[in-house]
């Protein structure tokens, strides 16, 4: 069955010839230009495939009609072949082969106009990038032409929507963005976030998560809508400049993600990084870094990737791992875990259920944090026994960041581990030893010092990254807050 393309082309050529026959004698063949001869040859090939004959008189009349139309229709400007990118040359080569397979030829003028059309289309899709820069972000894809180009330079309309980017082109785009501001601060909001006090929103959908690097200036966020999700890179100096790094959708078996370069990834978890994103499975992780592509992260035996990564993975190069079997489901395992947790609080034993791992070297930094604190308990079917005690028939236990009263589950590992990049290098802040000691670790050297201490436990704490990249620390000791303006001073004092 012939495609709609052939019938449209045949109708167009036949109609042109019929109109010309009714109005003029035509242009003799010895006066045709090379492009007009090629047009007539293409038309005859089409007619022959339909079992029809394209006569000389009809061809002469069609040529005259084309000349008359050319006088009233401006010729679209094309891109000279000397200005084509390697990807555009490959694309034109593919289209020429498709034309030849159909018994047709693509003229040089038509190819130039086609390249210009592709550049215009891509420039519209990437509104924040100039047309010349957008042209460098084309990558050839086998796309079938949908209209017949004429000798006057009519473009072979081709779809640029299926064009993919290369990592080199992504690097060039990000490098062309303005440098980060000298003072750079971020703050969260219900939908989106603020950069130096200016709100960042996305009309495509709700910004569900974001990651930043106050030192390097990289910003990446995830926007979710009914159509799925998109991961976008953003210029901290000019938030109107955005670049889609990947799209995907979450299904019953996890995440299915496709990068803008065409790389497909799948896994149970998806975390946004300041320079890309991280897709995790139980025994492996896959990091996509904008401009560099996908790298594999092998998880050491006995660990799996923690589903929630609070720290700056992209900026520091560290991920949080959880020990396998740290929280059993049977009664004996729960009893052993509870006894171990009590021992951790009393300081009689270590649990090390979590560890920070250097992605490059796979070196582990064990953390004396129990995995049993992940769960919260919800009681039901309760009756009052006295003024102080209720008896409940049912209890459900499940992992949660917040308890039934809406307060933070302060024993969940997400609130106990945080790691950031600073001008002096990456550091980790970890609340360990039954929440009695808040440690500061230099992730370059492994030096570990106590930042805050309270035997009965630190009730709450937070790390704030200042606009110059330094990190301040606040910790609640009993009824008062203690602050450390710059944690780097603790490491310097420990030398």
């Amino acid at each position: 069955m012939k495609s709609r393309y052939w019938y449209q082309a045949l109708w167009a050529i036949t109609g042109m010839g019929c109109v010309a026959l009714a109005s003029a004698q035509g242009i003799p063949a010895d006066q045709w230009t090379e492009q007009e001869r090629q047009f007539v040859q293409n038309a005859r090939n089409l007619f022959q495939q339909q079992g029809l004959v394209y006569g000389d008189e009809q061809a002469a009349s069609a040529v005259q009609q084309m000349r008359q139309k050319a006088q009233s229709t401006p010729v679209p400007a094309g891109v000279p072949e000397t200005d084509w990118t390697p990807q555009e040359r490959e694309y034109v080569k593919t289209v020429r082969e498709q034309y030849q397979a159909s018994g047709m030829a693509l003229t040089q003028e038509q190819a130039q106009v086609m390249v210009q059309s592709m550049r215009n289309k891509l420039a519209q899709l990437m509104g924040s990038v100039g047309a010349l820069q957008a042209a460098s972000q084309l990558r050839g894809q086998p796309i079938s032409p949908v209209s017949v180009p004429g000798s006057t330079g009519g473009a072979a309309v081709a779809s640029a929507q299926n064009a993919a980017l290369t990592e080199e082109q992504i690097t060039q785009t990000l490098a062309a963005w303005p440098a980060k501001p000298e003072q750079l601060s971020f703050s969260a909001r219900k939908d989106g976030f603020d950069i130096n006090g200016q709100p960042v929103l996305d009309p495509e959908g709700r910004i569900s998560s974001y990651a930043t690097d106050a030192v390097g200036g990289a910003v990446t966020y995830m926007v979710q809508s009914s159509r799925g999700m998109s991961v976008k890179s953003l210029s901290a100096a000019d938030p109107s400049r955005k670049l889609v790094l990947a799209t995907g959708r979450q299904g019953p078996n996890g995440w299915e993600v496709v990068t803008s370069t065409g790389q497909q990834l799948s896994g149970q978890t998806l975390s946004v990084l300041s320079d890309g994103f991280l897709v995790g499975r139980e025994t492996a992780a896959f990091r996509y870094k904008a401009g560099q592509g996908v790298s594999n992260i092998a998880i050491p035996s006995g660990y799996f990737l923690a589903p929630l990564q609070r720290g700056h993975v992209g900026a520091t190069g560290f991920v949080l791992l959880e020990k396998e079997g740290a929280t059993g489901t049977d009664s004996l395992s729960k009893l052993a875990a509870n006894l171990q947790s009590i021992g951790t609080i009393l300081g009689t034993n270590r649990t090390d259920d979590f560890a920070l791992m250097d992605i490059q070297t796979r070196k582990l930094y064990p953390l004396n944090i129990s995995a049993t604190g992940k769960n919260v308990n919800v009681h039901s079917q309760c009756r009052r026994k006295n003024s102080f005690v209720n008896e409940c028939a049912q209890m459900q236990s499940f992992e949660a960041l917040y308890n039934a009263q809406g307060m933070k589950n302060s024993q969940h590992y997400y609130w106990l581990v945080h790691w950031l990049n600073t001008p002096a290098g990456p550091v980790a802040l970890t609340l360990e030893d039954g929440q009695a000691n808040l440690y500061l670790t230099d992730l370059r050297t492994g030096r570990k010092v106590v930042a805050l201490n309270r035997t009965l436990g630190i009730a709450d704490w937070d790390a704030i990254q200042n606009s110059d990249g330094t990190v301040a620390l606040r910790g609640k000791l009993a009824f008062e807050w203690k602050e450390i303006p710059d944690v780097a001073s603790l490491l310097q004092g420990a030398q």
Side-chain angles (χ1 to χ4, degrees), residues 383-400:
R383 65 182 183 85
R384 184 178 181 182
K385 185 175 182 180
N386 54 47
S387 300
F388 304 99
V389 178
N390 287 337
E391 287 186 342
C392 302
Q394 298 287 335
M395 184 188 76
Q396 290 182 318
S397 180
F398 53 88
E399 183 176 352

Side-chain angles (χ1 to χ4, degrees), residues 349-368:
N349 66 278
R350 291 179 59 90
T351 55
D352 293 346
D353 286 344
F354 295 90
L356 284 170
M357 185 187 77
D358 188 328
I359 294 175
Q360 297 296 328
T361 65
R362 300 185 69 204
K363 181 179 179 179
L364 295 178
Y365 293 82
L367 306 176
N368 188 23

Side-chain angles (χ1 to χ4, degrees), residues 263-271 273 276-289 293-299 305 359:
Q263 180 74 49
Q264 298 184 2
L265 302 92
S266 63
Q268 283 76 42
T269 63
L270 173 63
S271 303
L273 312 181
F277 58 88
L278 184 72
V279 175
R281 301 175 189 168
E282 289 188 354
T283 58
F286 305 91
R287 178 187 181 183
Y288 173 77
K289 186 173 183 179
V294 178
S295 58
N296 302 332
I297 302 174
I299 305 300
L305 186 71
I359 294 175

